[in-house]
Amino acid sequence: MSSDIAWRMLFGGRSGDEPALHAQIGRMVGEAIAAGLLAPGARLPSSRGLAAELGIARNTVVAAYDGLVDAGVLVSRGRSGCFVAPPTACAPPGPDPGAPGAKQAWSGRFAIRPSRLPQITKPRDWTRYPYPFLFGQFDPSLFPVAAWRESVKAASSVKEISGWSFDQVDDDDRALIEQLRLRVLPRRGILAAAGEIMVTIGSQHALSLLVQLLVARRTTVGLEDPGYTDARNMVGLATDRIRPLARDARGIVPDADFRACDVAFVTIGHQCPTTAVTPLSRRRELLAAAAQDDVVLVEDDYEADLSTEEEAGLPSLKSLDADGRVIHVGSFSKVLAPGLRVGYVVAPPAVIEELRALRRLMLRHPPTNNQRSLAAFIALGHYRAHLARTAALLRPRADLIAALAPELMPACTIRRGFGAKSFWVEGPAGLDARALGERLRGEGVLIEPGDIFFMDPARGRRFFRLGFTAIPLPQIEPGLRRLAAALEHFPTK
């Protein structure tokens, strides 16, 4: 933990705008010790050196160190400096994980073991890394702080609070439903009545509800391969009758396997994770095949609205649906902020009625204060302005990666669908992208290994994803150069 870059990563989450900066630094040191990043006996930088590295006053570092010494977290050794204190000898020992009754008593009681499923993992402290090529996270500078504050204020008057503060039971905030109907869904070509829309806590919640509602042990489900890992995990907990959906250059092929499905989960706007866009002709073919063989289609439109290029004018699958067999799932997570956790389902009234009853058993309804604030954000025109501003800021990032990556990584095939916010990279034969990612992480570069998206991880061993919503424009070129240098020296077979 002695290099400059390591200390910048450790303190990357601090904010000079918040009070008690010395307390923030103390907290971060404590967290690093608890996580094992700073071992007992490790020497911390001098107060003068750390202050210079972080661009803060030396007294702030001194105050942080003094507080940690007083708490017994650090020990001060005269002129030698501050060191991580040894473990407390009198601390009570934790339970032995292998002892009878520690885990065995619980393991036999679990009906399912979701922790054993393959999971998409990203460092929770990703903001501390200088080069985060991550998808699904946002550079904090992209969030419309002033506009959101105005919207929250608009939703916080006495009159507004009286409208959203009571228990809605299984209902949603009517203001948000109206904004979805009038200003959000029409952008996707969808015209829906209020009884055809339900709000969820993000698209993940929507998919979970739909799996519970539609998938039984004998239900045959079509899933993309590669595809969204969490959707595959949800379905896998409900049934083992899963059929990989074949793909060609135009998207999912409506072949015999597709026609044999009861339900198919699809990402046709930007296929997850390849970003491929399904053309209109293939969308119509899928709908025709689904109608002929009675396949329900769940359209996960996770990346709708925010496009880095001008709209291509492609209608959503739901907008082409003539007989009510498409269920549309959308979210504001990839558009506004992942932490907002507001999504929605558009489906026939009979489906929405059952979803509301199921949602009520879990959490009654999503927080209505958030719904009302989002409704105000859309109604005041901030949503449309945010889409335009963010697209303008993201486009140069996409253009820079598109220009540099093929030049710096000639052995890789780099793809990106129109308007997508990530690149899908196929490395040379024999590349282990997961091992590459581990090596790059030590250099402050984060990429997403692609094996997690495949039903057979071995097939995805040489793939990885590069997102650009989390990484500021000036960091892209140096980050790509580090990636390219690691690729050059990384063993392939």
Side-chain angles (χ1 to χ4, degrees):
M1 200 67 190
S2 58
S3 67
D4 290 347
I5 190 172
W7 286 105
R8 285 197 296 272
M9 289 164 57
L10 175 59
F11 294 103
R14 68 180 183 85
S15 171
D17 297 329
E18 298 179 20
L21 184 54
H22 72 279
Q24 293 182 56
I25 293 174
R27 172 178 56 80
M28 291 174 186
V29 171
E31 289 174 352
I33 294 171
L37 299 176
L38 292 172
R43 185 182 185 277
L44 273 72
S46 69
S47 58
R48 189 185 304 278
L50 185 57
E53 180 66 38
L54 300 180
I56 60 178
R58 182 188 178 193
N59 287 345
T60 302
V61 179
V62 171
Y65 282 2
D66 286 347
L68 292 168
V69 170
D70 290 343
V73 176
L74 301 180
V75 291
S76 177
R77 296 177 183 167
R79 295 177 179 270
S80 299
C82 288
F83 297 80
V84 177
T88 306
C90 60
D96 177 4
K103 286 187 178 179
Q104 289 85 340
W106 281 109
S107 62
R109 294 177 178 270
F110 296 137
I112 56 175
R113 298 301 296 267
S115 65
R116 294 180 176 177
L117 297 171
Q119 307 282 346
I120 300 174
T121 58
K122 303 173 187 178
R124 297 193 181 188
D125 60 347
W126 66 267
T127 57
R128 300 181 183 182
Y129 290 78
Y131 313 106
F133 290 100
L134 296 179
F135 177 78
Q137 297 290 0
F138 269 78
D139 171 3
S141 69
L142 297 178
F143 186 75
V145 175
W148 184 253
R149 283 176 175 167
E150 181 185 354
S151 304
V152 172
K153 184 177 180 180
S156 301
S157 68
V158 173
K159 180 180 178 181
E160 290 292 307
I161 291 173
S162 67
W164 58 251
S165 59
F166 58 88
D167 183 1
Q168 302 276 358
V169 188
D170 62 358
D171 206 354
D172 294 308
D173 184 67
R174 294 182 181 181
L176 180 56
I177 294 294
E178 280 304 291
Q179 292 304 316
L180 286 168
R181 287 185 60 240
L182 300 176
R183 301 198 182 190
V184 176
L185 292 173
R187 294 176 62 90
R188 311 301 301 149
I190 299 172
L191 302 178
E196 297 176 308
I197 306 169
M198 188 187 80
V199 178
T200 60
I201 303 181
S203 60
Q204 188 93 344
H205 180 214
L207 293 172
S208 177
L209 288 168
L210 288 166
V211 169
Q212 292 180 67
L213 185 65
L214 301 174
V215 181
R217 282 295 170 193
R218 298 187 61 79
T219 304
T220 301
V221 180
L223 295 174
E224 298 169 330
D225 184 27
Y228 183 39
T229 308
D230 286 350
R232 185 170 71 242
N233 286 342
M234 294 177 202
V235 172
L237 290 173
T239 183
D240 57 4
R241 300 181 65 168
I242 296 174
R243 296 207 177 195
L245 299 176
R247 295 185 58 84
D248 62 16
R250 296 169 59 231
I252 296 171
V253 179
D255 58 10
D257 280 334
F258 174 83
R259 293 170 180 271
C261 294
D262 299 305
V263 185
F265 289 79
V266 299
T267 55
I268 64 163
H270 290 132
Q271 199 275 332
C272 176
T274 67
T275 78
V277 179
T278 302
L280 179 59
S281 58
R282 177 56 60 83
R283 299 183 190 207
R284 294 190 186 280
E285 290 172 23
L286 287 173
L287 284 170
Q292 184 176 351
D293 291 277
D294 195 24
V295 182
V296 171
L297 297 174
V298 177
E299 177 185 27
D300 181 4
D301 204 6
Y302 66 96
E303 210 176 27
D305 281 355
L306 181 57
S307 175
T308 54
E309 282 83 12
E310 292 295 324
E311 287 292 333
L314 279 175
S316 64
L317 207 60
K318 180 62 178 174
S319 70
L320 302 171
D321 181 22
D323 57 356
R325 70 177 53 260
V326 177
I327 298 173
H328 182 90
V329 173
S331 173
F332 291 94
S333 293
K334 304 295 187 293
V335 177
L336 186 54
L340 187 61
R341 309 313 308 153
V342 177
Y344 50 88
V345 179
V346 185
V351 177
I352 294 296
E353 181 181 359
E354 295 300 330
L355 286 173
R356 287 192 182 282
L358 181 57
R359 186 188 68 179
R360 179 184 177 182
L361 293 176
M362 298 178 178
L363 48 83
R364 298 179 80 80
H365 59 80
T368 43
N369 60 324
N370 290 347
Q371 294 187 52
R372 184 63 60 90
S373 296
L374 180 56
F377 184 83
I378 299 169
L380 291 170
H382 296 317
Y383 182 63
R384 184 174 291 273
H386 168 71
L387 294 178
R389 172 182 174 271
T390 305
L393 292 172
L394 291 180
R395 179 63 186 271
R397 304 183 191 189
D399 289 345
L400 184 58
I401 296 175
L404 286 177
E407 175 188 337
L408 295 174
M409 301 182 289
C412 296
T413 302
I414 301 162
R415 301 181 179 90
R416 174 177 170 265
F418 183 90
K421 295 186 284 296
S422 63
F423 288 78
W424 183 240
V425 183
E426 180 179 358
L431 174 68
D432 184 345
R434 186 160 294 278
L436 173 67
E438 286 300 318
R439 172 172 173 170
L440 285 168
R441 184 170 174 174
E443 300 179 28
V445 181
L446 297 178
I447 64 171
E448 298 182 69
D451 56 355
I452 192 70
F453 298 102
F454 288 77
M455 293 185 185
D456 176 6
R459 289 182 50 230
R461 190 168 178 262
R462 69 174 183 266
F463 293 87
F464 58 94
R465 182 165 67 175
L466 293 177
F468 53 85
T469 56
I471 183 168
L473 182 64
Q475 301 299 94
I476 287 177
E477 182 170 352
L480 284 178
R481 292 193 180 278
R482 282 168 171 76
L483 168 56
L487 264 173
E488 234 175 78
H489 299 95
F490 210 81
T492 57
K493 297 178 182 178

mmCIF file of all heavy atoms in Angstrom, residues 305-331:
data_model
loop_
_atom_site.group_PDB
_atom_site.id
_atom_site.type_symbol
_atom_site.label_atom_id
_atom_site.label_comp_id
_atom_site.label_asym_id
_atom_site.label_seq_id
_atom_site.Cartn_x
_atom_site.Cartn_y
_atom_site.Cartn_z
ATOM 1 N N ASP A 305 -34.121 5.199 -23.967
ATOM 2 C CA ASP A 305 -34.139 6.674 -23.884
ATOM 3 C C ASP A 305 -32.785 7.324 -24.068
ATOM 4 O O ASP A 305 -32.639 8.225 -24.891
ATOM 5 C CB ASP A 305 -34.756 7.164 -22.567
ATOM 6 C CG ASP A 305 -36.269 7.107 -22.582
ATOM 7 O OD1 ASP A 305 -36.835 6.782 -23.640
ATOM 8 O OD2 ASP A 305 -36.878 7.373 -21.540
ATOM 9 N N LEU A 306 -31.791 6.925 -23.281
ATOM 10 C CA LEU A 306 -30.502 7.617 -23.363
ATOM 11 C C LEU A 306 -29.630 6.964 -24.432
ATOM 12 O O LEU A 306 -29.135 5.861 -24.267
ATOM 13 C CB LEU A 306 -29.789 7.587 -22.018
ATOM 14 C CG LEU A 306 -28.436 8.305 -21.970
ATOM 15 C CD1 LEU A 306 -28.578 9.755 -22.385
ATOM 16 C CD2 LEU A 306 -27.832 8.196 -20.586
ATOM 17 N N SER A 307 -29.474 7.667 -25.546
ATOM 18 C CA SER A 307 -28.638 7.183 -26.635
ATOM 19 C C SER A 307 -27.553 8.206 -26.908
ATOM 20 O O SER A 307 -27.811 9.408 -26.895
ATOM 21 C CB SER A 307 -29.475 6.953 -27.903
ATOM 22 O OG SER A 307 -28.651 6.602 -29.000
ATOM 23 N N THR A 308 -26.339 7.751 -27.164
ATOM 24 C CA THR A 308 -25.252 8.683 -27.429
ATOM 25 C C THR A 308 -25.306 9.225 -28.853
ATOM 26 O O THR A 308 -24.615 10.175 -29.177
ATOM 27 C CB THR A 308 -23.892 8.001 -27.202
ATOM 28 O OG1 THR A 308 -23.840 6.807 -27.986
ATOM 29 C CG2 THR A 308 -23.714 7.653 -25.741
ATOM 30 N N GLU A 309 -26.114 8.609 -29.714
ATOM 31 C CA GLU A 309 -26.317 9.109 -31.060
ATOM 32 C C GLU A 309 -27.761 9.569 -31.226
ATOM 33 O O GLU A 309 -28.597 9.344 -30.356
ATOM 34 C CB GLU A 309 -26.008 8.023 -32.104
ATOM 35 C CG GLU A 309 -24.522 7.814 -32.342
ATOM 36 C CD GLU A 309 -23.883 6.896 -31.316
ATOM 37 O OE1 GLU A 309 -24.618 6.237 -30.562
ATOM 38 O OE2 GLU A 309 -22.647 6.838 -31.250
ATOM 39 N N GLU A 310 -28.054 10.188 -32.353
ATOM 40 C CA GLU A 310 -29.436 10.571 -32.642
ATOM 41 C C GLU A 310 -30.295 9.313 -32.683
ATOM 42 O O GLU A 310 -29.845 8.248 -33.096
ATOM 43 C CB GLU A 310 -29.512 11.304 -33.993
ATOM 44 C CG GLU A 310 -28.851 12.672 -33.995
ATOM 45 C CD GLU A 310 -29.543 13.649 -33.072
ATOM 46 O OE1 GLU A 310 -30.789 13.587 -32.964
ATOM 47 O OE2 GLU A 310 -28.837 14.463 -32.449
ATOM 48 N N GLU A 311 -31.547 9.451 -32.260
ATOM 49 C CA GLU A 311 -32.444 8.302 -32.233
ATOM 50 C C GLU A 311 -32.540 7.638 -33.616
ATOM 51 O O GLU A 311 -32.704 8.314 -34.630
ATOM 52 C CB GLU A 311 -33.841 8.728 -31.779
ATOM 53 C CG GLU A 311 -33.911 9.036 -30.290
ATOM 54 C CD GLU A 311 -33.716 7.795 -29.426
ATOM 55 O OE1 GLU A 311 -34.022 6.697 -29.891
ATOM 56 O OE2 GLU A 311 -33.232 7.941 -28.299
ATOM 57 N N ALA A 312 -32.450 6.330 -33.627
ATOM 58 C CA ALA A 312 -32.538 5.595 -34.884
ATOM 59 C C ALA A 312 -33.981 5.405 -35.323
ATOM 60 O O ALA A 312 -34.248 5.032 -36.458
ATOM 61 C CB ALA A 312 -31.869 4.235 -34.738
ATOM 62 N N GLY A 313 -34.935 5.668 -34.430
ATOM 63 C CA GLY A 313 -36.336 5.536 -34.788
ATOM 64 C C GLY A 313 -36.858 4.115 -34.739
ATOM 65 O O GLY A 313 -37.961 3.845 -35.218
ATOM 66 N N LEU A 314 -36.075 3.192 -34.175
ATOM 67 C CA LEU A 314 -36.546 1.809 -34.089
ATOM 68 C C LEU A 314 -37.598 1.689 -32.991
ATOM 69 O O LEU A 314 -37.342 2.077 -31.847
ATOM 70 C CB LEU A 314 -35.392 0.865 -33.787
ATOM 71 C CG LEU A 314 -34.515 0.443 -34.967
ATOM 72 C CD1 LEU A 314 -33.349 -0.403 -34.475
ATOM 73 C CD2 LEU A 314 -35.324 -0.335 -35.984
ATOM 74 N N PRO A 315 -38.771 1.152 -33.294
ATOM 75 C CA PRO A 315 -39.802 1.007 -32.261
ATOM 76 C C PRO A 315 -39.478 -0.145 -31.329
ATOM 77 O O PRO A 315 -38.824 -1.116 -31.711
ATOM 78 C CB PRO A 315 -41.061 0.711 -33.075
ATOM 79 C CG PRO A 315 -40.561 0.047 -34.320
ATOM 80 C CD PRO A 315 -39.212 0.674 -34.613
ATOM 81 N N SER A 316 -39.932 -0.041 -30.091
ATOM 82 C CA SER A 316 -39.759 -1.143 -29.152
ATOM 83 C C SER A 316 -40.625 -2.318 -29.580
ATOM 84 O O SER A 316 -41.569 -2.172 -30.371
ATOM 85 C CB SER A 316 -40.157 -0.702 -27.745
ATOM 86 O OG SER A 316 -41.540 -0.394 -27.713
ATOM 87 N N LEU A 317 -40.300 -3.485 -29.067
ATOM 88 C CA LEU A 317 -41.088 -4.675 -29.381
ATOM 89 C C LEU A 317 -42.531 -4.496 -28.907
ATOM 90 O O LEU A 317 -43.478 -4.886 -29.593
ATOM 91 C CB LEU A 317 -40.443 -5.886 -28.705
ATOM 92 C CG LEU A 317 -40.662 -7.257 -29.336
ATOM 93 C CD1 LEU A 317 -40.123 -7.291 -30.755
ATOM 94 C CD2 LEU A 317 -39.970 -8.328 -28.504
ATOM 95 N N LYS A 318 -42.695 -3.881 -27.735
ATOM 96 C CA LYS A 318 -44.031 -3.663 -27.183
ATOM 97 C C LYS A 318 -44.883 -2.791 -28.096
ATOM 98 O O LYS A 318 -46.093 -3.025 -28.236
ATOM 99 C CB LYS A 318 -43.919 -3.020 -25.799
ATOM 100 C CG LYS A 318 -45.242 -2.742 -25.111
ATOM 101 C CD LYS A 318 -46.016 -4.003 -24.846
ATOM 102 C CE LYS A 318 -47.318 -3.742 -24.114
ATOM 103 N NZ LYS A 318 -48.147 -4.956 -23.973
ATOM 104 N N SER A 319 -44.276 -1.794 -28.733
ATOM 105 C CA SER A 319 -45.048 -0.898 -29.597
ATOM 106 C C SER A 319 -45.555 -1.599 -30.847
ATOM 107 O O SER A 319 -46.493 -1.138 -31.490
ATOM 108 C CB SER A 319 -44.194 0.308 -29.995
ATOM 109 O OG SER A 319 -43.162 -0.070 -30.898
ATOM 110 N N LEU A 320 -44.932 -2.732 -31.213
ATOM 111 C CA LEU A 320 -45.348 -3.503 -32.392
ATOM 112 C C LEU A 320 -46.301 -4.636 -32.027
ATOM 113 O O LEU A 320 -46.783 -5.345 -32.917
ATOM 114 C CB LEU A 320 -44.108 -4.100 -33.074
ATOM 115 C CG LEU A 320 -43.028 -3.113 -33.538
ATOM 116 C CD1 LEU A 320 -41.786 -3.875 -33.989
ATOM 117 C CD2 LEU A 320 -43.555 -2.242 -34.656
ATOM 118 N N ASP A 321 -46.556 -4.794 -30.758
ATOM 119 C CA ASP A 321 -47.339 -5.921 -30.234
ATOM 120 C C ASP A 321 -48.829 -5.720 -30.529
ATOM 121 O O ASP A 321 -49.447 -4.802 -30.010
ATOM 122 C CB ASP A 321 -47.102 -6.032 -28.725
ATOM 123 C CG ASP A 321 -47.857 -7.175 -28.093
ATOM 124 O OD1 ASP A 321 -48.219 -8.123 -28.813
ATOM 125 O OD2 ASP A 321 -48.074 -7.118 -26.869
ATOM 126 N N ALA A 322 -49.394 -6.608 -31.347
ATOM 127 C CA ALA A 322 -50.796 -6.466 -31.742
ATOM 128 C C ALA A 322 -51.742 -7.302 -30.894
ATOM 129 O O ALA A 322 -52.951 -7.031 -30.871
ATOM 130 C CB ALA A 322 -50.957 -6.851 -33.216
ATOM 131 N N ASP A 323 -51.225 -8.301 -30.183
ATOM 132 C CA ASP A 323 -52.128 -9.191 -29.446
ATOM 133 C C ASP A 323 -51.790 -9.309 -27.964
ATOM 134 O O ASP A 323 -52.208 -10.257 -27.293
ATOM 135 C CB ASP A 323 -52.178 -10.581 -30.093
ATOM 136 C CG ASP A 323 -50.810 -11.237 -30.205
ATOM 137 O OD1 ASP A 323 -49.816 -10.574 -29.839
ATOM 138 O OD2 ASP A 323 -50.739 -12.387 -30.645
ATOM 139 N N GLY A 324 -51.026 -8.364 -27.415
ATOM 140 C CA GLY A 324 -50.822 -8.300 -25.975
ATOM 141 C C GLY A 324 -49.973 -9.402 -25.391
ATOM 142 O O GLY A 324 -50.188 -9.817 -24.255
ATOM 143 N N ARG A 325 -48.957 -9.856 -26.136
ATOM 144 C CA ARG A 325 -48.108 -10.929 -25.601
ATOM 145 C C ARG A 325 -46.718 -10.434 -25.195
ATOM 146 O O ARG A 325 -45.888 -11.200 -24.715
ATOM 147 C CB ARG A 325 -47.964 -12.060 -26.610
ATOM 148 C CG ARG A 325 -47.147 -11.763 -27.848
ATOM 149 C CD ARG A 325 -47.014 -12.990 -28.739
ATOM 150 N NE ARG A 325 -48.309 -13.564 -29.034
ATOM 151 C CZ ARG A 325 -48.815 -14.656 -28.398
ATOM 152 N NH1 ARG A 325 -48.101 -15.253 -27.471
ATOM 153 N NH2 ARG A 325 -49.993 -15.120 -28.714
ATOM 154 N N VAL A 326 -46.461 -9.140 -25.378
ATOM 155 C CA VAL A 326 -45.170 -8.569 -24.983
ATOM 156 C C VAL A 326 -45.321 -7.818 -23.668
ATOM 157 O O VAL A 326 -46.205 -6.977 -23.508
ATOM 158 C CB VAL A 326 -44.622 -7.614 -26.060
ATOM 159 C CG1 VAL A 326 -43.315 -6.973 -25.580
ATOM 160 C CG2 VAL A 326 -44.397 -8.346 -27.376
ATOM 161 N N ILE A 327 -44.456 -8.139 -22.727
ATOM 162 C CA ILE A 327 -44.371 -7.415 -21.454
ATOM 163 C C ILE A 327 -43.105 -6.575 -21.497
ATOM 164 O O ILE A 327 -42.010 -7.113 -21.704
ATOM 165 C CB ILE A 327 -44.349 -8.392 -20.259
ATOM 166 C CG1 ILE A 327 -45.652 -9.203 -20.224
ATOM 167 C CG2 ILE A 327 -44.141 -7.634 -18.952
ATOM 168 C CD1 ILE A 327 -45.648 -10.308 -19.184
ATOM 169 N N HIS A 328 -43.260 -5.283 -21.316
ATOM 170 C CA HIS A 328 -42.141 -4.338 -21.449
ATOM 171 C C HIS A 328 -41.623 -3.945 -20.073
ATOM 172 O O HIS A 328 -42.399 -3.558 -19.195
ATOM 173 C CB HIS A 328 -42.618 -3.097 -22.205
ATOM 174 C CG HIS A 328 -41.551 -2.081 -22.457
ATOM 175 N ND1 HIS A 328 -40.757 -2.088 -23.588
ATOM 176 C CD2 HIS A 328 -41.135 -1.011 -21.724
ATOM 177 C CE1 HIS A 328 -39.917 -1.069 -23.547
ATOM 178 N NE2 HIS A 328 -40.112 -0.405 -22.419
ATOM 179 N N VAL A 329 -40.305 -4.037 -19.884
ATOM 180 C CA VAL A 329 -39.660 -3.653 -18.630
ATOM 181 C C VAL A 329 -38.700 -2.501 -18.908
ATOM 182 O O VAL A 329 -37.874 -2.589 -19.819
ATOM 183 C CB VAL A 329 -38.889 -4.843 -18.012
ATOM 184 C CG1 VAL A 329 -38.082 -4.392 -16.796
ATOM 185 C CG2 VAL A 329 -39.856 -5.958 -17.634
ATOM 186 N N GLY A 330 -38.833 -1.432 -18.129
ATOM 187 C CA GLY A 330 -37.951 -0.282 -18.287
ATOM 188 C C GLY A 330 -37.433 0.192 -16.948
ATOM 189 O O GLY A 330 -37.891 -0.234 -15.891
ATOM 190 N N SER A 331 -36.467 1.110 -16.992
ATOM 191 C CA SER A 331 -35.838 1.570 -15.767
ATOM 192 C C SER A 331 -35.214 2.939 -15.975
ATOM 193 O O SER A 331 -34.868 3.312 -17.100
ATOM 194 C CB SER A 331 -34.756 0.579 -15.328
ATOM 195 O OG SER A 331 -34.019 1.068 -14.234
#
